[in-house]
Amino acid sequence: MAAGNVNPFNLSDSEDEADQRAEDGVHIEKSPSVGTQGPSSNNPFSPQADAEPPALLVSSTRTSPSVEGISVSVAAAAMTVALAETRVSVDVIAAQLIRDHYILTALEFHTELLESGRELPRLRDYFSNPGNFERQTGTPPACKEQGLGPGGPLNRAGSISTLDSLDFARYSDDGNRESDERVAVLEFELRKAKETIQALRTNLTQAAESDTQERNKNYSSHPETQEPIRPLEKRALNFLVNEYLLKNEYKLSAITFSDENDDQDFELWDDVGLNIPKPPDLLQIYRNCGSALPSPRYTVDVAVGVESGELTGNYITQKSDLLQQQTEVVEELEYQISLLNEEKQSLADHIKKLQSEIQSLRRTVSPPPPDQGSQPTPPSSSTPPQPPLDNGQYLDIRGASEPDKPPTESTPPTQTISNPTHTSSQSHAKLKSRGTVVFDQPNRKLSPAFQQALLSFCKMSADSRLGAEVSRIADNEESVMLMLGRCLPHIVPNVLLAKRERMVAHLCQELIPLILCTACLHPEPKERDQLLHILFNLIKRPDDEQRQMILTGCVAFARHVGPTRVEAELLPQCWEQINHKYPERRLLVAEACGALAPYLPKEIRSSLVLSMLQQMLAEDKADMVREAVVKSLAIIMGYIDDPDKYSQGFELMLLSLGDPSERVVSAIHQVFIPAFAAWTTELGNLQTTLIPSLLARIEKLLKGEHGLDEHKLHMFLSALQSLIPPLFSVVIQNAPFTHRVNLQGDIPPIEVTRFPRPASPLQDIATIVGSRETLSALLILYDYQLEHEGTTGWDSLLWVVNQLLPQLIDIVGRINVASTTCVHEFSRFFWRLCRTFGKIFTNTKVKPQFQEILRLSEENVDALTGNGILTKATVPIYATGVLTCYNQDEDRKLLVGFLEDVMTTLSLSHAPLDSLKASFVELGANPVYHELLLTVLWYGVVHTSALVRCTAARMFELLVKGVNETLVAQRVVPALITLSSDPEISVRISTIPAFGTIMETVTQKELLERVKMQLASFLEDPQYQDQHSLHMEIIRTFGRVGPNAEPRFRDEFVLPHLHKLALGNNVQATESKRIDIATQLFEAYSALSCCFISEELMVNHFLPGLRCLRTDMEQLSPEHEVILSSMIKEGEIKVENRGIGQAEGSVSIAASLVGEDAKTKFLSKMGQLTTSGAMLANVFQRKK
């Protein structure tokens, strides 16, 4: 609908109809509400308005298709009345429409009147009352006349409360035309929305034109001023930018740009604004920005003697079109001008901002002016004063001719400035006038080498270009300019290319020097805090290199600003991220605490930082974080000087030692314990408190009622082992000869093998005492003192000899000799102790104490009278931990003699051989001692006592597994064959386990044949037919080595001989011997059932042997009989069904039982077996 038409029945908004009326000569009359001059009438049925009844009929028909006939008839009747009378009240028409139930027509009539500003109270009251639309019955007369049938009632809708919420699509005059009603209502709503938009466009056009003229006036009078961007302008620019990106294939950028402006629809220009004509694209604007087109606002249309009422409709239309085109041209040009002005102003502001930042940076890093009072200098008249900064934040009082003067006390500015600026200038001057930074020096006596080695665990990065840049912070104007010159060429390319995460991280890394420099020199605390916050949050998950760079910068910052600002500015940043979700950030905090420890106040170092690290050690779940915490704690221990913190440090050590992560435990041994030991040494607690505390915990473990906790024993003993280097350094630094140390002249170098290899530089004794030269000089005097002058007055060494060693030897005698782990741990401890304290100390102080306890004198060789210590772990630990420290001939002879004496003594006294076996196992793990052990065993082979020869034969079984086959062929087998022909049958029987082990481990055919022949002689020689012990040993050996032996040896030798032994046992007269052999055969067959057995062997040997064994068990042990029956049944089924040769793998016969009854019976009987559990377990083992 045209905005100026007041005809309430002209509901058409078609532009084609308006053009048609213009061509027919219809004069469109403006509404008085718009204020149009010329002849007009308030009569809605004036001749001008009623000259076109066909258009009105068409309009009414298009508006309400659901009441098509009704609308036409009503319109026709209305036109008839209009022609007959000069004026009809619109209230009458409304009353008639309501009375005849023409609801939609009345609604349209009401809407048209509202838009024209003439609201009818009747229609307003009717449509605002929801009661008019509830349960209305009856058929409108017009509907009956037209034959449309009865009208359905309008059903009640409980949710209807106003006219706006009515859904007319739900109500229909005909139940079969609901969809048509819905379309009609939707069309109506769409048309109403379009009319509203058009009306708004018209109003905004007038407002925009006046606003544009006002802006043009302002711009012409003040072209240098720039107004802020308006919302509509911003949306228009956004649309054009997005259009440019899409046209030029910048799709990713367009997507990102669209996401950042999600409140705008870039597919519809009308979303920009209702009155914004679409300008040309950016390319066209750029091409036309230099051409000056004549503006239409400087041209005026002039008409002479013509009144507006005399103009024809065509002229008015043409005039309107021309004005519209000119308006669009003006708006396009103004739009281009505004864009250019905005760009110009933006560039000007950017230039001013950069200039202001440069001036501020120069002023921030420049040295303060000289004291005018102390050095009066007349100002130079030729030097112009320095202009103030654009932002007025700081005031530079230095003349242009004073850039290089040394920093002295600053003079207050002579100009009058405001309060904030004055405060900033004072704080700035305070920063610039700071003197030399002084840090709290702890009351410690660490050697410089040890301190440097301790700090080396702080990962710094000063080797690279960027690391060197970060490690030095600019402190004057020239340094800042040089730093910017070095850094900016590396930053700018990364800014341009920062599309990937890796490039962004590298860019952030390049920014670290600038952030640190600004944070160090900025006068405002809030700004400094913000910059340091940016530093710690610069990279989301910093890697090792990036963390090292940040730590290097933090240390440089701390050196520059002093402990007070480190506490106030850096520590809060660490505290904020102590519980960060990313472990890399928590790792940065842990490393920063250690790196900043030397630069913090000592009170903070021993309280807040220590508590932070303790919390992270106890709560953090990441291994790498806890590892860094341990290293930082070590650095804290290197600087702490509060004796009250000793107990806290000891608890931290125990907590770290119990950590499940190996990397944390490694860090505690490499870094924390050496640093903690150095502190306890200065406190005098190493020998009096620390080591005795660990020994007391070990003794408590040994007295435990629930068995020995080997893990805790290892934990405490490893800590003691890490304390050996600090203990030795205490001994040599507190010796009587320390005043005689002379570092001048030629000092011989220390032997490479003098000390065990240290686990870290902090465990190197040369680092602890200060240098290798000092250590070498001390070692010379140490050996001389021990050898010639004794230990009189040497309290530190006497404590080791008289208290530490006896307590350790006593602990060793109480550990379980069968525990291989404990024996190995104590052996390594004594080995490191003896190697560290030297050969003279070992020979004169350690060995005598062990020998006194073991009492291996000649008179005690034949009888073990009250010498039960030989069966304890003291024997293997002394042999492997003390006697193996040095490998010279006399040391080897001493070890051989000790082992020979122990073997002889234990054999002759019929004592358990566990201590000797533990010694052979520990020494046999090192191939260096294989020859030595074979020498000891040969001594037993040729010994006169059969008991010693039996012991030697059994020791060969332990040695065979670790010795190479050459030694087995040359030394072991000849010795065993010699013993197999021994006159004593017990000696021959003792060789069988060793022969079996050879069959299990050796691959040489010739060697295997020799062993096979020897075992065959034991089985087939008539002299052994009645040797019950020999048969028992052979069956036991076959069951042990059969599953792992060569298949040919098992098939051709083991199974046939087991069958013979089982068959022979059926006729055994002695019941005790029969049950012993049957039990051993049962265990052997159970182990061999796991192996692959061919069908032939199954039929000829395995199953017959099992049947013979079942015969014995039926009479002697019925509980075994059910298992044997199941094994036999399973073997028979496999042979019958598919053959053993087609089996894919060996399957445990005993594990597969037939039927639920047999399975239940088997499980019930298994619990009643009295056979060895270890051998029964072999039933369910597969071949390895």
Side-chain angles (χ1 to χ4, degrees), residues 180-200:
D180 294 338
E181 290 283 350
R182 180 71 175 172
V183 172
V185 173
L186 291 177
E187 287 183 354
F188 169 76
E189 293 175 353
L190 178 62
R191 182 171 57 78
K192 289 299 300 174
K194 289 182 178 180
E195 291 174 356
T196 303
I197 292 173
Q198 186 64 30
L200 291 173

Side-chain angles (χ1 to χ4, degrees), residues 899-900 903-904 907 916 920 932-957 959-960 970-984 987-988 990-991 994-995:
L899 292 175
E900 291 174 352
M903 182 172 62
T904 304
S907 301
L916 184 64
F920 270 74
L932 185 145
L933 294 176
L934 289 173
T935 302
V936 174
L937 291 181
W938 185 253
Y939 166 82
V941 170
V942 298
H943 199 277
T944 56
S945 173
L947 296 174
V948 178
R949 295 198 299 273
C950 286
T951 301
R954 295 194 177 278
M955 291 298 107
F956 275 113
E957 179 186 357
L959 193 60
V960 166
Q970 296 177 357
R971 302 284 300 275
V972 177
V973 173
L976 289 175
I977 291 178
T978 302
L979 292 174
S980 65
S981 59
D982 194 270
E984 293 291 334
V987 177
R988 282 176 270 175
S990 299
T991 61
F995 280 124

Side-chain angles (χ1 to χ4, degrees), residues 631-645:
K631 294 179 180 180
S632 295
L633 283 172
I635 298 175
I636 296 293
M637 292 300 154
Y639 283 87
I640 198 170
D641 56 2
D642 185 2
D644 296 336
K645 298 295 180 180

Side-chain angles (χ1 to χ4, degrees), residues 265-323:
D265 185 5
F266 287 105
E267 296 182 359
L268 182 64
W269 169 256
D270 288 340
D271 184 67
V272 173
L274 297 177
N275 194 50
I276 305 296
K278 183 178 179 181
D281 57 18
L282 291 180
L283 179 61
Q284 190 65 29
I285 293 174
Y286 174 76
R287 289 175 175 174
N288 295 337
C289 66
S291 59
L293 298 177
S295 177
R297 62 186 172 184
Y298 298 116
T299 61
V300 179
D301 293 334
V302 179
V304 180
V306 181
E307 296 293 336
S308 59
E310 299 177 3
L311 297 177
T312 63
N314 288 334
Y315 181 83
I316 295 176
T317 303
Q318 294 174 2
K319 182 67 174 177
S320 299
D321 293 341
L322 180 60
L323 289 175

Side-chain angles (χ1 to χ4, degrees), residues 12-23:
S12 174
D13 59 349
S14 172
E15 297 177 357
D16 297 335
E17 295 178 9
D19 295 340
Q20 182 66 31
R21 290 194 296 270
E23 293 175 1

